[in-house]
Amino acid sequence: MPERSRVAILISGRGSNMAALIYASRAPDCSYEVALVTGDNPDAPGLDLAEAEAVPIVRIPGPILKNKIQYFSALQQVLDDHSIDLIALAGFMRILPTDFVGRWSGRILNIHPSLLPRYKGLGTHEAALAAGDKWTGASVHLVTNELDSGEVLGQVQVAVLPGDDPTSLAERVLIAEHQLYPRVLAQYAARPFDSGWIEAQVDALARELPEVGRKSSHGSPGWSVGGEKGKLFAIIADHHHGEEAVGLLVKSSGADEMSGLIEAQPDVYYWPKYYGASGWLGIKLNRRDVDWEQVGEWLQRSWELAAPRRLLEAGGR
Ligand code: GRF
């Protein structure tokens, strides 16, 4: 199993979702660990609970909280100090500044007590009851700069019962939240290491290029250009012959380029067994910080090296 993702949970209040995330993380096969609990309220009851559970907490002091710029720079520092990979908002009542969200893009999750896109913002249970909905629920989503609008990663439905009021409904939805959040966070934390997910990302990027088809190479998934008899330009080597990497193999200009890249960025590039000798460069993709734009550029370059001349001329390449 890859190293667990280090999660920071941000709370403002009682922290029942925080507790659910902490207890789920104690399963030996959980893909994340709670490396920090903090928030914008040094007296939040959830912080006392996390402390009692021996989870590292940071109480950011009152005077800093009053100044938005100071608060978010203190928070960034605390997150850096704890080497955080992912942030889970759990009843955190502050709107995050644009630059903070940008820096953590794709790495902040939130739980919201409605079936998004229905009922963003506060008062979700009142809204569901007023609309006469038979079902409501909870959603875990990625945080973007638009309130409660990032990609939904998971949802759970909860029935609205006759006689429900906002409090009774909130209580039942909360039970569902406690089931949903740990499951979705664990899946999301494991995703960068999942070969199937990695292959789907590469497939989507490869298919943006002209005349690309699938073709395997000695049983490994690959992509070719130029129809039936087309040439391979990308291969996924999934722990190939005992290698650690789930790697993308692309055509390089040769051994010199490969050695230079591997020496400069050994976390990113490697010399793949067997394939390296014929100019295939390995790019490690089972990492948390893959630059997918750069992967796209490598695919394009490799495509250009393999494409028949008519395609290069057609595209003015
Ligand atoms: C939950 O209802 C959650 O959906 C919302 O805020 C509430 C937090 O409750 N974002 P708790 O602090 O986790 O108990």
Side-chain angles (χ1 to χ4, degrees):
M1 191 172 90
E3 249 177 59
R4 293 174 179 227
S5 297
R6 294 175 60 79
V7 171
I9 305 178
L10 268 52
I11 61 168
S12 299
R14 69 187 160 179
S16 71
N17 276 289
M18 172 210 77
L21 292 172
I22 292 173
Y23 297 137
S25 76
R26 292 188 173 157
D29 61 348
C30 186
S31 61
Y32 70 85
E33 65 180 293
V34 181
L36 171 70
V37 177
T38 185
D40 63 342
N41 171 10
D43 303 321
L47 286 177
D48 298 336
L49 174 63
E51 192 169 33
E53 292 290 355
V55 174
I57 65 156
V58 172
R59 297 178 200 269
I60 298 182
I64 292 182
L65 292 167
K66 291 201 185 94
N67 180 312
K68 191 174 163 184
I69 293 176
Q70 271 185 25
Y71 170 62
F72 280 98
S73 85
L75 178 62
Q76 181 62 50
Q77 188 60 50
V78 168
L79 296 168
D80 289 345
D81 291 346
H82 289 77
S83 309
I84 294 305
D85 300 310
L86 293 171
I87 299 174
L89 307 182
F92 182 66
M93 299 309 287
R94 289 225 184 180
I95 303 278
L96 302 173
T98 314
D99 58 338
F100 185 90
V101 174
R103 193 169 314 127
W104 287 89
S105 171
R107 296 191 294 150
I108 313 177
L109 285 73
N110 182 38
I111 186 150
H112 183 75
S114 78
L115 294 173
L116 289 171
R118 286 174 88 81
Y119 314 133
K120 298 175 181 177
L122 296 173
T124 57
H125 304 304
E126 286 82 353
L129 289 166
D133 292 350
K134 294 215 160 39
W135 295 93
T136 184
S139 309
V140 173
H141 64 96
L142 288 176
V143 172
T144 59
N145 279 313
E146 213 182 313
L147 184 70
D148 300 329
S149 297
E151 183 191 345
V152 172
L153 301 174
Q155 289 186 315
V156 57
Q157 285 198 332
V158 173
V160 180
L161 302 185
D164 258 337
D165 59 24
T167 310
S168 63
L169 190 52
E171 276 171 14
R172 268 198 333 287
V173 170
L174 195 63
I175 297 172
E177 290 180 33
H178 296 166
Q179 307 291 317
L180 177 73
Y181 208 176
R183 179 165 57 78
V184 175
L185 177 61
Q187 274 169 2
Y188 194 70
R191 206 166 85 164
F193 309 101
D194 172 352
S195 312
W197 183 80
I198 291 171
E199 186 180 331
Q201 305 315 296
V202 172
D203 189 59
L205 288 170
R207 285 176 190 279
E208 284 174 16
L209 298 161
E211 282 196 35
V212 164
R214 298 297 300 251
K215 181 177 190 174
S216 68
S217 164
H218 304 284
S220 295
W223 291 262
S224 62
V225 48
E228 286 277 286
K229 295 208 170 105
K231 257 177 126 178
L232 271 169
F233 70 96
I235 300 164
I236 288 207
D238 184 353
H239 302 286
H240 190 239
H241 290 273
E243 285 169 347
E244 258 178 48
V246 177
L248 173 66
L249 311 188
V250 289
K251 277 286 184 187
S252 72
S253 67
D256 286 349
E257 181 184 30
M258 284 169 63
S259 312
L261 286 165
I262 294 163
E263 199 176 270
Q265 285 174 274
D267 294 342
V268 178
Y269 300 107
Y270 70 104
W271 188 280
K273 281 186 189 163
Y274 304 103
Y275 286 98
S278 33
W280 290 94
L281 170 69
I283 307 171
K284 297 178 193 173
L285 295 184
N286 51 342
R287 295 182 290 126
R288 285 195 184 82
D289 52 349
V290 172
D291 178 345
W292 286 101
E293 211 170 300
Q294 195 181 47
V295 172
E297 284 160 16
W298 272 114
L299 284 169
Q300 163 139 9
R301 223 189 98 179
S302 193
W303 180 95
E304 282 168 14
L305 290 170
R309 188 175 298 161
R310 69 177 165 80
L311 278 179
L312 297 173
E313 281 163 1
R317 293 171 197 263

